[in-house]
Amino acid sequence: MADIGKRNGLTAVLDTFGTKVFRMVEHLGNIFILLLQCLGWLFRPPSEIRNIVKQMEEVGINSMPVVLVTATFTGMVLALQSWSGFQRFQATSFVGSVVALSITRELGPVFAGLIVSGRVGASIAAELGTMKVTEQIDALVTLATNPVKYLVVPRVVASTLVLPVLVIMADLVGILGGYFVSVYLLGANPYVYTEKTFQYLESWDIYSGLIKAAVFGFLIALISCYNGFIAEGGAEGVGRATTRAVVASSMAVLVSDYFMTSLMF
Amino acid sequence: MIEIRGLKKSFGVKVVLDGVDLTVPRGKNTVVIGGSGTGKSVLIKCIVGLLRANEGEVLIDGEDVTKMDERELVRARRKFGMLFQGAALFDSMNVGENVAFALRRLHLYPEHQVRDVVEEKLAMVGLRDIQHLMPAELSGGMKKRVGLARAIAAEPEILLYDEPTTGLDPIMADVINELVISLRESLGVTSISITHDMASAYKIADHIAMLYKGMIVEVGTPEEIRNTRNPVVSQFVEGRAEGPITAEHEDFIRFVHRSGETGMQGGR
Ligand SMILES: Nc1ncnc2c1ncn2[C@@H]1O[C@H](COP(=O)(O)OP(=O)(O)OP(=O)(O)O)[C@@H](O)[C@H]1O
Ligand SMILES: [Mg+2]
């Protein structure tokens, strides 16, 4: 008897797991379809330039302060940590290189991506979700406007373009943060530190980070728009869509980061 | 002309429309009546292709909406204006931008004229000087009327009104009734209106159709509907609490009572 109970428990678990996997595959398929629609509408008139500019402002201004603060402290803590680690084998002169490379190649884009997932992903999903449940998206459709063209394309384009810009600034303040901690708090030689910062830094390190950022921006906007579009059932549904958008886009950032890194280097 | 043939729509196992047949002649207004939750809103959403029907046809001037792909639908929808039950105003835009939305998207007027055209459309629904307000600052009835102004702004050939007079005071309701009539008479608009308000229905309708249990049970002129012998229709238009529509409901209540009693006896 107990055995049967156990087996039923197990099948039940497998069952729900199976349904989850199935759903996930379905969502991925739908997101891919949304992507194709997006590309299809991208260059079709009327142009959404004004809308795109508005969204760029929104994305940029929304996320800039948090991205900058995060990047500064990331640079600072990185300097602190690597300093205390490198002290063990008298390599503290390399702290500048470590900070510059880690920030530009990895931490700048990834942290910016995660923060934008939280800020922009949530606001996109909440806005589109609300529009969905209050029939505003249906209303758009009846006013001769395709919602993918009007709502998704501008957000995806804006966020793809703005994220690299945010990351350039994040790189800059992150490296400055590291410099500040090393030179003023840990007593590094400013000239050596600056030299080491740029000695091993190649332009590809920076470009690769910016490419990553563009991909993150693209994924975040696409995933969040999708989650907004499938919201159902009032305020609670909008809340669920928002949470899902943030979780899914953060995951997309980390997963795609791994694969891009493995392709790039 | 709108011709609906054998239209079926279900959500999961729940059948909402179960073979609707309805014809709306060009330049006429058909009012659809029916109880809450019978699928009136679903019906008009199927007509504009917002919801995909499971079966059946919706012919707009001979073209079947249910068979169109998304791109053909965009073109076909230019013929339509739709007033949503909840108004569905864009809450990130002010009233003026809402009403001007289709005008701007379709470039129907040069930009410097848009404001005046919008003011004129708003005047038609009895509103003035509110273009700068946001939808959140409007009352329910005002939202409804702004929604109506937005629906008629691009001068569509076909108008679908989902409860145009619900939530309006009697005077405003009559202003809207007159507007619906004048759009039909002066512009020859073909329209479907949904309403619970029988006074309004009798006034604006060329034909009244009753939706009950997923089907159109009767279509007739207002006069025919008023004198109908169909018990379901007559209960609805006269607004009686007793009759075939509520009988099932009462049976159910009785059933619940009875099973409650037996349950108690069993307990004893
Ligand atoms: N998107 C949907 N998903 C699932 N069920 C739905 C959906 N839309 C409508 N329904 C169901 O279809 C039925 C008809 O809904 P509809 O909104 O058409 O009613 P109605 O006749 O317009 O009622 P009312 O007069 O109250 O507006 C309802 O029972 C509703 O639960
Ligand atoms: Mg309804």
Side-chain angles (χ1 to χ4, degrees):
Chain A
M1 280 298 270
D3 210 349
I4 292 170
K6 216 186 269 169
R7 212 179 301 147
N8 279 347
L10 189 64
T11 36
V13 168
L14 285 179
D15 228 33
T16 39
F17 184 71
T19 339
K20 282 245 166 74
V21 170
F22 183 76
R23 284 262 170 72
M24 178 124 153
V25 172
E26 199 184 340
H27 284 313
L28 284 177
N30 288 339
I31 290 177
F32 188 67
I33 292 171
L34 184 63
L35 164 66
L36 295 182
Q37 288 177 338
C38 223
L39 294 176
W41 284 106
L42 190 55
F43 296 109
R44 238 175 288 148
S47 109
E48 302 286 353
I49 284 289
R50 279 177 53 192
N51 224 334
I52 292 175
V53 172
K54 198 177 125 204
Q55 290 303 326
M56 286 174 80
E57 274 172 29
E58 201 115 302
V59 176
I61 291 168
N62 249 343
S63 339
M64 175 122 42
V66 222
V67 168
L68 293 188
V69 171
T70 315
T72 314
F73 277 92
T74 310
M76 283 161 64
V77 83
L78 205 58
L80 215 52
Q81 284 281 17
S82 36
W83 185 276
S84 74
F86 283 11
Q87 232 171 8
R88 293 176 199 171
F89 40 92
Q90 283 82 41
T92 48
S93 60
F94 286 103
V95 169
S97 317
V98 166
V99 170
L101 288 180
S102 326
I103 293 269
T104 53
R105 288 168 61 139
E106 188 64 35
L107 298 178
V110 169
F111 279 143
L114 289 175
I115 282 164
V116 170
S117 295
R119 283 225 64 146
V120 179
S123 88
I124 289 178
E127 186 180 2
L128 266 53
T130 308
M131 290 185 74
K132 169 75 190 314
V133 302
T134 54
E135 296 186 319
Q136 291 177 52
I137 290 183
D138 286 347
L140 268 183
V141 170
T142 65
L143 294 166
T145 302
N146 180 290
V148 173
K149 179 170 168 49
Y150 184 75
L151 297 172
V152 182
V153 168
R155 284 169 175 75
V156 169
V157 171
S159 137
T160 309
L161 295 179
V162 167
L163 233 116
V165 178
L166 287 175
V167 167
I168 290 177
M169 291 189 283
D171 286 352
L172 211 67
V173 296
I175 289 172
L176 282 178
Y179 176 88
F180 177 81
V181 167
S182 308
V183 171
Y184 294 101
L185 298 182
L186 303 170
N189 181 320
Y191 300 105
V192 175
Y193 188 91
T194 315
E195 194 201 320
K196 289 286 171 198
T197 297
F198 293 108
Q199 190 175 7
Y200 298 104
L201 191 64
E202 290 166 23
S203 50
W204 175 238
D205 293 321
I206 298 173
Y207 292 147
S208 67
L210 300 187
I211 293 173
K212 281 182 178 178
V215 172
F216 295 159
F218 175 82
L219 289 174
I220 293 166
L222 191 70
I223 291 172
S224 307
C225 286
Y226 172 72
N227 277 296
F229 270 6
I230 61 168
E232 239 164 30
E236 196 196 340
V238 175
R240 262 201 307 271
T242 309
T243 314
R244 263 203 318 254
V246 174
V247 172
S249 28
S250 314
M251 269 170 23
V253 165
L254 295 173
V255 172
S256 66
D257 179 51
Y258 173 80
F259 287 107
M260 281 192 285
T261 310
S262 73
L263 283 179
M264 282 169 168
F265 302 106
Chain B
M1 182 149 101
I2 306 172
E3 290 170 274
I4 303 167
R5 298 205 195 115
L7 189 69
K8 293 192 183 177
K9 175 73 191 172
S10 16
F11 295 100
V13 291
K14 180 173 175 152
V15 180
V16 177
L17 301 178
D18 194 13
V20 169
D21 295 294
L22 183 68
T23 302
V24 185
R26 176 177 283 276
K28 301 284 180 199
N29 181 12
T30 294
V31 170
V32 176
I33 58 175
S36 210
T38 48
K40 303 181 297 297
S41 299
V42 169
L43 174 63
I44 63 169
K45 283 185 188 168
C46 286
I47 297 174
V48 279
L50 282 173
L51 290 173
R52 287 284 182 171
N54 302 113
E55 255 179 68
E57 305 182 320
V58 177
L59 302 174
I60 307 296
D61 301 327
E63 288 185 291
D64 190 353
V65 174
T66 58
K67 304 279 185 307
M68 288 182 184
D69 66 26
E70 201 49 44
R71 209 174 304 169
E72 292 169 306
L73 271 174
V74 170
R75 184 180 47 79
R77 285 193 191 110
R78 295 209 179 166
K79 293 186 182 171
F80 287 100
M82 178 158 171
L83 167 64
F84 286 82
Q85 189 165 4
L89 299 182
F90 303 127
D91 47 25
S92 60
M93 300 176 199
N94 67 25
V95 168
E97 289 164 336
N98 262 284
V99 177
F101 192 83
L103 303 181
R104 292 213 170 102
R105 293 295 289 182
L106 300 172
H107 299 288
L108 296 182
Y109 296 91
E111 186 59 35
H112 65 273
Q113 283 182 18
V114 168
R115 220 192 133 73
D116 293 336
V117 176
V118 168
E119 197 61 36
E120 180 194 327
K121 306 292 174 191
L122 285 169
M124 288 169 85
V125 295
L127 294 169
R128 324 178 37 198
D129 291 334
I130 59 158
Q131 287 203 36
H132 61 281
L133 295 181
M134 297 304 283
E137 300 170 277
L138 304 179
S139 75
M142 285 163 88
K143 279 186 195 148
K144 204 75 194 238
R145 285 184 283 154
V146 172
L148 186 53
R150 186 179 69 180
I152 64 176
E155 292 169 12
E157 298 166 37
I158 300 170
L159 272 163
L160 305 171
Y161 309 99
D162 200 339
E163 307 197 3
T165 55
T166 305
L168 302 186
D169 65 71
I171 299 170
M172 255 319 138
D174 209 49
V175 169
I176 299 303
N177 287 339
E178 296 290 342
L179 175 68
V180 172
I181 294 170
S182 84
L183 284 170
R184 185 189 65 200
E185 301 202 325
S186 59
L187 301 174
V189 170
T190 308
S191 49
I192 297 182
S193 335
I194 293 171
T195 189
H196 292 293
D197 172 0
M198 287 314 298
S200 157
Y202 288 135
K203 181 158 184 184
I204 64 177
D206 294 300
H207 300 281
I208 296 179
M210 167 122 183
L211 185 64
Y212 180 63
K213 293 198 173 167
M215 288 192 246
I216 299 289
V217 288
E218 186 165 353
V219 188
T221 61
E223 208 46 41
E224 285 165 356
I225 292 294
R226 207 193 296 263
N227 304 318
T228 179
R229 266 188 265 147
N230 185 324
V232 169
V233 181
S234 81
Q235 185 195 350
F236 189 86
V237 300
E238 285 163 25
R240 276 184 275 113
E242 271 144 48
I245 299 178
T246 38
E248 259 174 51
H249 190 65
E250 274 160 26
D251 281 348
F252 178 70
I253 292 171
R254 235 172 282 135
F255 168 78
V256 172
H257 273 280
R258 223 178 302 134
S259 45
E261 277 161 30
T262 39
M264 264 159 54
Q265 275 160 5
R268 248 181 248 152

